[in-house]
Amino acid sequence: MDYQTIAAMLEEHGQSHLLKYYGELNEEQRACLLKQIEDIDWKLLDLVHNHKSTEETRGHLEPLGALEVDEIERRRQEFEAIGIQALKEQKVGAVLLAGGQGTRLGFDKPKGMFNVGIHRTLYIFQCLINNLMDVVKQVETWVPLYIMTSDKNHEDTTKFFEEQNYFGYNKEYVHFFKQRMAPSVDYDGKLFMEAKDRLSLSPNGNGGWYTSLRRSGLVEDMRKKGVEWLTVFAVDNVLQRINDPAYIGAVIQSGCDCGGKVVRKADPHERVGVLCLEDGKPSIVEYYEMTDDMIHLKDEKGNLLYNFGVILNYMFRISSLEAIVSQEMPVHIVEKKIPYINDQGELVKPEKPNGYKFEELVLDMIHLMDSCLPYEVIREKEFAPIKNPTGVDSVESARKLLMENGVEI
Ligand code: UTP
């Protein structure tokens, strides 16, 4: 599209400010800016104007029981045997979601590069690789590892893994791929710019991981290698077990399309998403969507029925993911701190949220599946997310949990 067409289009959408500095740009910068504008998905911006996201209203919700720790212990041998076999045959890959910006932590490098150590250096990425190495040693086979990055952190992340010699992992089994970016807007729906020649683009949420993996050609590569399952996990939970055989075995044995690790809620009002059934299909209901009745509903033994919170560690059958690739995912409007250039053309890094980003979320993929196995893990052993510098889900709380689990830090 030429300048005139783009200018007219921006005028129509009330976004003419994007060309404010056009006159100051060189040819290359101009072409880059026009291309970014051309790629804008205007449907996203309509969501802000209508003050709603594409999230649909909830269907009929029912509790979904989990495979609980007692039963897992009773059947551990059976599950482990199935899991070990699948891992030895390299049928299960692992996808690390590391494309986020981790704004709450306030660390200006990729979150995985954060050092959680006190007396020694221990990076978040290192914790995760160490955890995965436990499985590699147990099954004496490498697990194919796919790491999702974004335009914002790809270079830093790949360079860091090279510098750190992949923390001892076999680099032939590590593949990086990039996720897509989406524009961001202020509260009035005006698009932010991060430089005179660039829109403020940010990663489009963790829900696009499979389509991005596919676009990168890696799914085709997996097909050739016989990978049938993928686990997906967040970068920030330094205690999580990754591809542990009992989990892998239990999900395969269940015959479900997917599985998800869950922890028992600390109290009925804990702010976690809960795995349940919605119109007969698995789904995750957010804590703020639950009615008081649902929150306190108990079974005959007195256990809460909506009792298992997700910890962003899922496992999907690839053929089931293939079956849903053409389905649209809901887009969530998320309030964030978004750096932008002000009217004077200076870069501002806000201290508090100043606008919206658009994100697709991995948890919405669960509802596109026909069946899901919630698999209970012990919170104190497997859940130490680092979202904030201090307080809840923080560097502080994760350090404490790492030490309690015998990890030297
Ligand atoms: P979070 O929900 O913690 O989001 O991501 P975030 O954007 O990294 O952090 P804040 O909210 O700005 O502090 C959960 C997981 O999903 C990944 C993150 O890297 C983390 O592992 N993620 C998130 C992506 O891979 N891409 C995204 O676009 C967003």
Side-chain angles (χ1 to χ4, degrees), residues 65-117:
L67 181 64
E68 297 184 23
V69 166
D70 290 356
E71 190 175 348
I72 295 170
E73 283 318 313
R74 244 191 337 270
R75 299 175 62 187
R76 180 166 286 281
Q77 267 194 334
E78 173 198 348
F79 293 146
E80 283 201 343
I82 300 170
I84 290 172
Q85 169 88 9
L87 288 158
K88 275 195 184 293
E89 291 171 4
Q90 292 191 323
K91 284 191 173 157
V92 195
V95 181
L96 165 56
L97 302 174
Q101 290 181 289
T103 50
R104 282 170 285 174
L105 185 60
F107 177 59
D108 65 356
K109 292 274 176 212
K111 205 188 240 189
M113 288 173 63
F114 188 84
N115 175 15
V116 276

Side-chain angles (χ1 to χ4, degrees), residues 127-398:
C127 291
L128 302 177
I129 296 290
N130 289 349
N131 297 350
L132 184 56
M133 278 302 285
D134 289 344
V135 172
V136 169
K137 285 183 196 142
Q138 185 185 354
V139 302
E140 298 171 326
T141 312
W142 293 100
V143 173
L145 174 63
Y146 304 90
I147 302 177
M148 184 164 87
T149 60
S150 79
D151 280 346
K152 297 268 182 202
N153 67 12
H154 185 81
E155 244 187 80
D156 281 343
T157 305
T158 49
K159 228 170 90 199
F160 187 64
F161 269 88
E162 277 294 330
E163 276 164 19
Q164 299 293 330
N165 199 21
Y166 290 74
F167 301 103
Y169 210 76
N170 183 340
K171 66 185 267 190
E172 278 174 37
Y173 285 89
V174 182
H175 308 273
F176 295 92
F177 66 101
K178 278 202 233 173
Q179 69 173 97
R180 287 218 160 142
M181 306 293 280
S184 48
V185 293
D186 68 13
Y187 292 124
D188 296 323
K190 293 264 185 246
L191 285 154
F192 279 128
M193 298 186 78
E194 67 177 12
K196 292 180 176 178
D197 61 340
R198 273 197 321 272
L199 301 186
S200 172
L201 298 179
S202 49
N204 69 342
N206 55 28
W209 68 273
Y210 188 69
T211 40
S212 299
L213 193 59
R214 232 168 160 258
R215 212 173 336 108
S216 72
L218 286 166
V219 171
E220 182 52 23
D221 184 56
M222 285 177 207
R223 200 184 55 77
K224 288 190 195 133
K225 291 181 174 146
V227 181
E228 291 176 11
W229 293 87
L230 287 172
T231 58
V232 194
F233 55 97
V235 72
D236 46 41
N237 178 6
V238 286
L239 265 191
Q240 66 192 316
R241 302 278 92 208
I242 302 160
N243 288 30
D244 41 325
Y247 173 48
I248 304 294
V251 177
I252 294 177
Q253 197 274 345
S254 72
C256 291
D257 296 313
C258 66
K261 287 195 178 182
V262 291
V263 291
R264 213 165 271 263
K265 283 208 275 189
D267 71 81
H269 292 278
E270 194 188 359
R271 300 170 151 227
V272 286
V274 169
L275 248 173
C276 63
L277 287 176
E278 179 179 356
D279 294 335
K281 287 179 83 176
S283 194
I284 290 159
V285 57
E286 290 294 350
Y287 63 92
Y288 51 82
E289 296 173 309
M290 284 174 68
T291 61
D292 222 42
D293 279 354
M294 283 168 75
I295 291 174
H296 294 288
L297 202 63
K298 291 190 175 147
D299 66 13
E300 64 281 1
K301 289 192 207 138
N303 298 319
L304 291 175
L305 278 171
Y306 291 93
N307 200 16
F308 293 102
V310 286
I311 60 168
L312 215 177
N313 188 314
Y314 302 106
M315 172 164 162
F316 291 93
R317 190 195 296 275
I318 296 181
S319 59
S320 305
L321 289 169
E322 280 298 308
I324 61 155
V325 279
S326 56
Q327 300 211 27
E328 271 200 20
M329 302 259 290
V331 176
H332 298 254
I333 300 175
V334 196
E335 241 186 306
K336 294 257 177 169
K337 292 185 245 175
I338 304 158
Y340 66 99
I341 53 165
N342 62 16
D343 285 345
Q344 288 72 48
E346 300 150 349
L347 183 67
V348 180
K349 290 189 174 177
E351 298 281 307
K352 47 184 186 47
N354 61 326
Y356 302 119
K357 291 184 180 176
F358 303 93
E359 297 194 341
E360 289 179 1
L361 302 180
V362 60
L363 59 84
D364 288 317
M365 291 172 99
I366 298 293
H367 191 48
L368 300 177
M369 299 280 134
D370 284 332
S371 52
C372 177
L373 178 76
Y375 178 94
E376 188 191 2
V377 297
I378 299 172
R379 169 191 294 263
E380 293 74 20
K381 291 194 179 161
E382 279 213 38
F383 192 43
I386 298 179
K387 301 284 184 195
N388 308 296
T390 54
V392 179
D393 296 344
S394 66
V395 179
E396 266 174 3
S397 58

